Amino acid sequence: MAQRAEQAGGSSISGIANEIAAQMDSLSTSAPIAEEAIARDLEEEPEEANSNSEDDDSDDSTIRQYSMINSYRRPSCANPAARSPAIFSSSMPDHGYLSKKEREAVRSEERSLLRDNHLLPPKHPRRGSEGVLSSLGRRISTSGLRKVRSEADEEALYPDGSPSEQTALLDGDPSLPYGGLDSPKTINKRWDEAVAAGKISTTWQRETKVLLRTSAPMILTFLLQYSLPVASIFTVGHIGKIELGAVSLASMTASITGYAVIHGLSTSLDTLCAQAYPVNPRLVGLQLQRMVYFLWLMIIPIATVWSFGTQILAVIVPERETAEFAGLYLKVLIAGAPGYAAFEAGKRYVQAQGIFSATMYVLLICAPLNAYLNWMFVWKLKWGFVGAPIAVSITETIMPILLFLYVYFIDGSKCWGGFDRRALKNWMPMVKLALPGLVMVLAELIAFEIIALSSSWMGTTPLAAQSVLGSITGITWQIPFPMSVAASTRIANLIGATLAEPAKVTAKVAAVFSVIIGVANLLLLYGFRNSIPRLFTPDEEVIELVAALLPLCAAFQVFDATAATCNGILRGLGRQEFGGYVALFSYYVIGVPISFGLGFGAGWGLYGLWAGPAIALGIVSLIETIFILKVNWQKAVHAAERRNQLG
């Protein structure tokens, strides 16, 4: 999370940062591996399927030095667990292509910025010669009503209803939208000229709208996906505190030994699909098949571990009954693992085409369904504890089916060329790309899970309280984290287009949002500290312990939100590698020892265990904030220019 503390005088921190960065650069070999893999696939590809004309755009075939299109970065990431740090690729992704939707979206953003800076006329300039009645009739029409809002925005820019003499756009036709200057060629030309002349600027109002617009669907998606395990904790928690602790322990074990493995391995599709799409879209479907088969093969050892979950956990967890319940939960989860793996691979298949709404639509159906199934199986049908993992397994099986139906009937089938025998070979490049992602996912995930597992040695009540606390703080984290993804994407795009000042404005807006979100979470957790635990369990001992610990959790909400958002800003700057290693240092060298020292050595119990991550988050957010305050934004722009030239 924390990033390079690039400070004056060549401090030791700066030296370490430079050394780590150099090492990471030397290990960055994903592009050649992917290119080699695609070349092998192309050797056996039918010649008639080697075109991608639908997404080609002649106006963008030549590299535009300042284009946001050529610097576009997808808002992709892996989020394997509730409280683990976010996992991203080790370098700024070079996708090498954009889908048609993405091209249109980025060009629309360029056009909007040109209009706001009075370098294009408004879309619908006011017609001064139009009569009152005709104007009223036009406005109350169906099409007119749809334009009211956009016209209001444009009139704020042009109070007199038309561009001023300073706009230098009098060559356009005022009777046409954007003065008739809305062609891709014109937008490209004017954009490059405007950026080169330093005429593109932005406002905090615009960047606020952009961040809210892009982060809102991601927040919804993350909350929905996180609700799947929380529904089980919420439902089972009302049976008893032993069951509550067991479902938390089982979810943690499933994350480390299964879900994180699937997440980490599937990240290789981010690179492979990017290399395959511009050559032949159907190769994206081939990569999907190959990954699904690979993940299903990996489920065999995962299922073996889950089958012996009771025996394994009995060695680690002192409470035998807790280990038995958790082992039962893991055994039932095996049935849903193939569906979960297919969904994770399929999610990257649609994202490779610029389709980010498919996952949200699937979760809008599956999340409520999962909650209903949990209630029905556990309470309505009186199956008890075992009903929760059954509900999760059914949901995980339905998710890829719904995603397939979306692709087949709505959007995304272009990249599917049918089942292919080539998916059974040429696996080594995929494995080479998948292993680094797996290592990073597990390394960052285990830090928080060590804390959760340690609580089981304090007794049934602390373990149950840990389950509730982990769920609560996990929910609050699903808001600043998607905001950080939106900020990262926006800043990367602006930096890539050599717009240093607008990128700084976005960073400032994101930082303010992080503080607002953190304070809101703080007030929520502290104000309802006695009420929130009762939503998860009726046990008074657990409620009392959670209520006592929620002020501590509330206290680090500002640090948590700030660290997440600053992490996103630094990813946008392309400085995330060092941040990942500082995060590992903060949690393993500082946070975990403090947790064990205070939790067990000083006898503070669960309060001591949570003090470690709280202190680590404070350190992380402090280092990141210092770095961002001292960052050289123009230097980041120069780095982006070099990437564009190499592109």
Side-chain angles (χ1 to χ4, degrees):
M1 286 183 178
Q3 307 295 322
R4 290 178 181 157
E6 187 176 294
Q7 301 177 1
S11 65
S12 59
I13 296 179
S14 179
I16 296 174
N18 293 331
E19 180 180 352
I20 294 177
Q23 294 174 355
M24 292 301 298
D25 289 341
S26 66
L27 296 175
S28 180
T29 58
S30 61
I33 294 175
E35 290 172 359
E36 179 184 354
I38 301 304
R40 292 178 182 175
D41 291 334
L42 283 174
E43 291 178 359
E44 303 178 16
E45 180 70 12
E47 294 183 1
E48 64 273 11
N50 284 336
S51 64
N52 187 25
S53 58
E54 182 177 339
D55 283 337
D56 285 344
D57 192 323
S58 59
D59 292 311
D60 294 321
S61 59
T62 302
I63 293 180
R64 296 162 49 202
Q65 183 176 2
Y66 307 108
S67 172
M68 289 182 72
I69 289 180
N70 288 303
S71 66
Y72 179 76
R73 181 181 180 184
R74 285 203 177 102
S76 60
C77 64
N79 177 25
R83 292 297 314 128
S84 65
I87 310 302
F88 291 81
S89 58
S90 61
S91 62
M92 289 188 68
D94 180 14
H95 294 295
Y97 77 95
L98 292 182
S99 70
K100 190 173 183 179
K101 288 183 177 180
E102 288 172 316
R103 287 179 182 271
E104 292 173 352
V106 177
R107 182 177 288 114
S108 175
E109 186 60 35
E110 289 183 349
R111 179 178 57 210
S112 181
L113 280 168
L114 286 171
R115 183 192 63 188
D116 283 4
N117 285 276
H118 296 193
L119 300 172
L120 274 183
K123 183 176 183 180
H124 301 291
R126 186 186 301 169
R127 295 167 175 81
S129 60
E130 189 175 39
V132 176
L133 293 179
S134 59
S135 175
L136 179 61
R138 176 176 59 82
R139 288 183 176 274
I140 64 175
S141 64
T142 303
S143 59
L145 290 174
R146 293 174 179 171
K147 299 175 182 177
V148 169
R149 184 175 179 181
S150 63
E151 288 183 355
D153 295 338
E154 288 153 3
E155 288 170 7
L157 292 172
Y158 305 104
D160 61 348
S162 62
S164 67
E165 289 80 358
Q166 285 75 31
T167 61
L169 292 173
L170 299 181
D171 54 327
D173 185 349
S175 65
L176 297 175
Y178 301 105
L181 302 173
D182 193 28
S183 67
K185 183 176 181 180
T186 302
I187 293 175
N188 295 349
K189 181 176 181 295
R190 290 184 181 258
W191 175 265
D192 285 341
E193 293 174 349
V195 175
K199 294 181 178 180
I200 297 295
S201 61
T202 188
T203 63
W204 69 266
Q205 294 95 332
R206 160 176 277 279
E207 296 311 308
T208 297
K209 292 178 181 178
V210 170
L211 291 182
L212 289 177
R213 184 181 69 246
T214 54
S215 64
M218 284 191 287
I219 291 174
L220 178 60
T221 301
F222 274 76
L223 286 172
L224 289 172
Q225 188 160 10
Y226 182 58
S227 72
L228 300 181
V230 170
S232 294
I233 295 174
F234 186 86
T235 307
V236 171
H238 289 272
I239 298 177
K241 61 183 177 182
I242 294 178
E243 290 81 359
L244 177 58
V247 71
S248 176
L249 184 62
S251 297
M252 177 209 67
T253 305
S255 294
I256 295 176
T257 60
Y259 296 144
V261 173
I262 293 171
H263 272 287
L265 296 177
S266 61
T267 56
S268 66
L269 287 183
D270 294 333
T271 300
L272 289 168
C273 291
Q275 295 289 341
Y277 191 96
V279 178
N280 184 348
R282 296 201 304 180
L283 292 181
V284 177
L286 175 62
Q287 300 297 341
L288 168 66
Q289 295 176 55
R290 191 173 284 146
M291 177 56 68
V292 170
Y293 297 153
F294 177 52
L295 292 178
W296 283 352
L297 185 64
M298 293 302 300
I299 286 176
I300 295 176
I302 292 173
T304 302
V305 172
W306 288 2
S307 297
F308 292 94
T310 300
Q311 292 83 346
I312 295 173
L313 292 175
V315 177
I316 303 174
V317 179
E319 296 289 340
R320 177 68 185 182
E321 189 175 4
T322 300
E324 290 177 352
F325 275 121
L328 174 62
Y329 193 100
L330 290 171
K331 289 185 179 69
V332 179
L333 279 188
I334 295 174
Y340 186 87
F343 178 74
E344 284 302 313
K347 181 166 64 176
R348 286 166 172 79
Y349 166 83
V350 293
Q351 287 178 352
Q353 303 176 62
I355 305 171
F356 300 99
S357 58
T359 304
M360 182 181 69
Y361 293 140
V362 170
L363 290 171
L364 279 173
I365 297 174
C366 289
L369 175 64
N370 177 68
Y372 173 76
L373 291 177
N374 268 274
W375 170 80
M376 185 176 69
F377 293 158
V378 174
W379 295 104
K380 183 69 173 179
L381 300 180
K382 301 186 184 304
W383 291 359
F385 181 88
V386 74
I390 292 176
V392 173
S393 295
I394 292 176
T395 304
E396 291 176 346
T397 303
I398 293 175
M399 287 164 61
I401 296 175
L402 292 181
L403 186 59
F404 165 77
L405 294 176
Y406 182 96
V407 170
Y408 187 82
F409 290 104
I410 301 176
D411 193 11
S413 59
K414 172 190 173 183
C415 291
W416 179 256
F419 290 98
D420 197 323
R421 291 183 178 180
R422 288 178 296 168
L424 300 176
K425 56 184 179 180
N426 194 20
W427 283 24
M428 190 52 63
M430 176 181 63
V431 174
K432 289 180 180 179
L433 292 174
L435 289 179
L438 173 61
V439 171
M440 280 302 296
V441 168
L442 289 177
E444 297 196 15
L445 170 63
I446 291 175
F448 268 99
E449 302 304 353
I450 288 176
I451 306 300
L453 185 62
S454 300
S455 64
S456 65
W457 287 88
M458 297 179 176
T460 303
T461 299
L463 178 59
Q466 164 64 34
S467 176
V468 176
L469 290 169
S471 300
I472 294 172
T473 56
I475 293 173
T476 59
W477 190 68
Q478 307 306 318
I479 301 175
F481 173 63
M483 180 67 71
S484 77
V485 177
S488 171
T489 304
R490 179 66 172 177
I491 292 172
N493 295 342
L494 292 172
I495 288 291
T498 71
L499 299 174
E501 289 304 316
K504 287 179 64 176
V505 173
T506 301
K508 292 177 181 178
V509 171
V512 171
F513 267 121
S514 70
V515 175
I516 294 174
I517 293 171
V519 171
N521 287 338
L522 184 155
L523 296 176
L524 176 67
L525 296 187
Y526 186 80
F528 294 92
R529 62 188 181 280
N530 295 315
S531 303
I532 293 176
R534 298 185 183 277
L535 300 175
F536 291 86
T537 177
D539 189 278
E540 289 298 330
E541 290 185 359
V542 177
I543 292 173
E544 182 179 352
L545 182 55
V546 172
L549 282 163
L550 272 180
L552 173 62
C553 296
F556 70 69
Q557 289 302 308
V558 177
F559 294 145
D560 204 5
T562 301
T565 301
C566 289
N567 196 21
I569 294 172
L570 292 165
R571 288 193 305 270
L573 290 167
R575 307 294 295 272
Q576 68 272 36
E577 295 94 343
F578 180 71
Y581 282 94
V582 173
L584 297 180
F585 173 81
S586 299
Y587 285 109
Y588 287 105
V589 179
I590 299 177
V592 172
I594 288 177
S595 293
F596 284 121
L598 295 179
F600 295 98
W604 288 15
L606 199 58
Y607 195 96
L609 286 181
W610 275 88
I615 294 173
L617 276 172
I619 295 173
V620 163
S621 61
L622 177 62
I623 296 176
E624 289 184 341
T625 301
I626 292 174
F627 173 83
I628 292 173
L629 290 175
K630 295 186 176 183
V631 71
N632 188 330
W633 290 84
Q634 200 59 46
K635 185 177 179 180
V637 165
H638 293 328
E641 287 178 321
R642 288 194 295 271
R643 284 194 298 270
N644 285 343
Q645 291 171 0
L646 292 175

